[in-house]
């Protein structure tokens, strides 16, 4: 059956650049040729992973070359899957590949993949020859609703995640939800945790929708366009107001993330996908809100209902304790001067709480770890 073709646009307006997030099906077929024709590069450098190029590389080449009746050269650079490759080594290799191919400042880079590809390729774009124009083409749900929008790009250092980077906005974000058809279920669930985050923070409709699903996932023929649009709208609006994460608005998107980052670090970045750590972190934040404000009730229960199915494939290391997690929360506190948490006061009413009582934080972590491990 022919795929339907349609897309909708969400505008992003930042001092660093204005652009559209185009969300739909067959999006690249209709947006990529005219976009490239307007940017007029001599070459296009695609950065991706080998498996993704196997699935989608030929189609991409066709669409890129169709834009110029064959008068454009296409470089495909791919690096292995995994957060551990979002590093200096890959960065150096990517610069080398671009140089050898003769990519210049007037060319265009295309990031084709999940958040790992988007972050690394975006940083290549920000720095190679003082900056290339680039397009984000996210292929994971996580990247479609979060990492591809807003221009945060960068790599990890051995000392920690995302320690080197830039704010560098793309020319456009092109989202084709049909790429989700090949995404493994665990990656889908991890992305859905970030989707739920927009629900808790801003959009009750998202929560109601997710509560209808069996087992944390929608039916196979589910149309993701409205859901991805709803999230993209929220992310676009937040980064348009606070591009550089200075006013506190963008920081709200870190709901569940202080707990989540500590959980990722305490489990050696191996046991949990990012979204899974955030899901656990949001349950902890919900429990913390209940412990902190006597009027907050029912938060943990609803978070568990929506998020527990997303944790289906998680096996937490035996012996992981609240103290292990608190140790990393303390490190975060030292780095920033104080610990701060985004907590809900009501549904869709997040606030920043500075220096929350640590005994309550520890209790929230402990109770949620026990609750999740006992299921
Ligand atoms: N820049 C930001 O604002 C921001 C925000 C959130 C997360 N991030 C970063 O994003 C990264 C995580 O991204 P992620 O969750 O997308 O993981 P990922 O990029 O590692 O992708 C997950 C896996 O899915 C595979 N994959 C991707 N698309 C596929 C498809 N359509 N079909 C089949 N397989 C596919 C990939 O090859 C990979 O193995 C982290 O490095 C995180 O720091 C950045
Ligand atoms: Zn996140």
């Amino acid at each position: 059956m022919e795929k339907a073709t349609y897309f909708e646009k969400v505008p992003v307006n930042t001092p660093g650049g204005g652009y559209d997030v185009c969300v739909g099906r067959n999006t690249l077929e209709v947006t990529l040729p005219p976009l490239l024709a307007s940017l007029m590069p001599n070459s296009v450098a695609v950065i991706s992973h080998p498996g993704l190029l196997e699935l989608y590389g030929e189609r991409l080449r066709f669409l890129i070359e169709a834009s110029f009746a064959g008068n454009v050269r296409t470089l495909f650079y791919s690096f292995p899957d995994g957060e551990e490759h979002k590093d200096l080594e890959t960065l150096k290799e990517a610069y080398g590949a671009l140089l050898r191919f003769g990519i210049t400042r007037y060319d265009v880079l295309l990031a084709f993949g999940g958040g790992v590809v988007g972050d690394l390729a975006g940083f290549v774009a920000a720095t190679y020859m003082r900056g290339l124009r680039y397009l984000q083409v996210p292929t994971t749900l996580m990247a479609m609703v979060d990492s591809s929008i807003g221009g945060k790009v960068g790599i990890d250092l051995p000392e920690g995640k995302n320690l080197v980077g830039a704010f560098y906005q793309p020319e456009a974000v092109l989202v084709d939800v049909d790429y989700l058809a090949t995404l493994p279920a665990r990656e889908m669930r991890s992305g859905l945790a970030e989707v739920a985050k927009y629900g808790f923070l801003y959009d009750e409709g998202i929560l109601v929708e997710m509560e209808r699903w069996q087992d944390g996932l929608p039916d196979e023929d589910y149309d993701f366009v409205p859901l991805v649009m709803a999230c993209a709208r929220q992310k676009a609006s937040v980064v348009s107001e606070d591009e550089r994460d200075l006013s506190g608005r963008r920081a709200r998107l870190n709901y569940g993330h202080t707990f989540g980052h500590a959980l990722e670090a305490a489990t050696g970045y191996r046991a949990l996908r990012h979204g899974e750590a955030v899901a656990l972190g949001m349950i902890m934040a919900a429990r913390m809100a209940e412990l902190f404000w006597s009027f907050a009730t029912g938060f943990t229960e609803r978070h568990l209902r929506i998020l527990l199915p997303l944790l289906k494939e998680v096996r937490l290391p035996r012996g992981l304790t609240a103290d292990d997690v608190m140790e990393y929360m303390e490190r975060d506190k030292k780095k920033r001067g104080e610990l701060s948490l985004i907590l809900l006061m009501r549904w869709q009413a997040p606030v920043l709480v500075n220096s929350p009582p640590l005994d309550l934080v520890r209790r929230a972590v402990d109770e949620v770890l026990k609750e999740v491990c006992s299921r």
Side-chain angles (χ1 to χ4, degrees):
M1 201 175 70
E2 274 294 294
K3 289 201 300 180
T5 298
Y6 78 101
F7 71 92
E8 290 181 57
K9 285 185 191 172
V10 184
V12 181
N13 291 302
T14 65
Y19 56 95
D20 285 325
V21 182
C22 304
V23 182
R25 323 187 75 131
N26 264 350
T27 314
L28 267 69
E29 268 75 358
V30 277
T31 56
L32 191 62
L35 192 57
L36 285 179
S38 72
L39 297 172
M40 289 205 301
N42 290 314
S43 305
V44 175
V46 177
I47 298 190
S48 189
H49 290 315
L52 286 174
L53 290 183
E54 221 164 86
L55 286 168
Y56 301 110
E58 272 319 301
R59 186 71 195 151
L60 258 185
R61 181 189 292 283
F62 172 80
L63 287 174
I64 293 168
E65 297 183 354
S67 321
F68 297 87
N71 287 329
V72 69
R73 296 162 69 231
T74 315
L75 164 70
F76 285 96
Y77 170 76
S78 65
F79 63 98
D81 284 20
E83 182 71 31
E84 68 274 25
H85 296 290
K86 199 177 101 179
D87 68 350
L88 280 169
E89 201 50 46
T90 308
L91 186 67
K92 198 172 131 200
E93 255 187 46
Y95 290 144
L98 266 59
L99 277 172
R100 283 193 299 281
F101 197 78
I103 299 288
T104 73
R105 284 188 50 225
Y106 306 102
D107 291 327
V108 168
L109 195 150
L110 194 152
F112 189 82
V116 165
V117 164
D119 281 11
L120 180 119
F123 191 64
V124 171
T127 49
Y128 181 82
M129 295 194 177
R130 299 201 181 83
L132 287 181
R133 296 164 301 169
Y134 79 115
L135 307 173
Q136 285 282 10
V137 182
T139 63
T140 62
L141 183 60
M142 166 76 67
M144 291 178 186
V145 300
D146 192 355
S147 61
S148 70
I149 307 167
K152 271 194 189 175
V153 296
I155 57 161
D156 304 335
L157 294 181
E159 289 82 358
K161 272 186 67 169
N162 300 323
L163 289 179
V164 174
F167 289 94
Y168 192 65
Q169 303 296 340
E171 298 297 313
V173 180
L174 308 178
V175 182
D176 182 342
V177 298
D178 286 325
Y179 296 135
L180 298 175
T182 53
L183 191 69
R186 186 165 182 183
E187 297 300 337
M188 179 66 91
R189 290 195 172 93
S190 169
L192 283 171
E194 299 277 5
V195 170
K197 180 186 80 180
Y198 291 106
F200 295 127
L201 290 176
Y202 307 115
D203 187 339
E204 175 65 21
I206 292 177
L207 300 181
V208 173
E209 179 75 4
M210 291 182 78
E211 283 173 319
R212 283 200 203 114
W213 301 343
Q214 297 286 321
D215 216 17
L217 295 179
D219 294 341
E220 237 167 66
D221 56 357
Y222 183 74
D223 178 8
F224 272 96
V225 175
L227 192 68
V228 173
M229 275 294 287
C231 300
R233 249 189 232 114
Q234 296 300 343
K235 176 93 193 226
S237 142
V238 170
V239 300
S240 295
E241 271 187 31
D242 183 19
E243 180 187 24
R244 296 200 159 230
D245 206 351
L246 294 172
S247 77
R249 176 113 203 255
R250 198 165 176 171
R252 304 265 156 87
L253 294 176
N254 276 337
Y255 184 51
H257 279 60
T258 304
F259 292 105
H261 290 148
L263 283 159
E264 282 181 291
T267 52
Y269 296 98
R270 280 185 303 273
L272 296 166
R273 302 289 307 138
H274 173 69
E276 293 167 345
V278 171
L280 280 165
M282 290 189 291
I283 304 170
M284 289 169 181
R287 183 67 193 126
M288 178 64 198
E290 287 176 343
L291 294 171
F292 191 58
W293 287 302
S294 53
F295 57 79
T297 51
F299 280 178
T300 310
E301 198 191 316
R302 193 174 190 206
H303 278 66
L304 282 169
R305 196 160 65 235
I306 294 171
L307 299 172
L308 258 192
L310 306 180
L311 296 168
K312 214 177 149 183
E313 293 180 59
V314 170
R315 296 287 166 271
L316 285 172
R318 270 210 265 163
L320 178 72
T321 65
D323 289 330
D324 301 330
V325 179
M326 288 310 290
E327 195 189 312
Y328 287 94
M329 303 270 287
E330 295 273 352
R331 283 193 206 178
D332 195 74
K333 177 178 149 192
K334 271 197 203 115
K335 246 190 317 190
R336 289 164 210 273
E338 65 178 338
L339 183 68
S340 44
L341 293 174
I342 309 291
L343 299 181
L344 295 183
M345 285 192 82
R346 297 183 307 282
W347 299 111
Q348 295 89 36
V351 293
L352 184 75
V353 174
N354 291 318
S355 302
L358 285 180
D359 56 326
L360 293 189
V361 178
R362 192 189 169 288
R363 207 175 124 196
V365 172
D366 187 50
E367 287 183 15
V368 173
L369 281 182
K370 285 189 178 132
E371 172 76 31
V372 170
C373 290
S374 71
R375 297 202 180 208

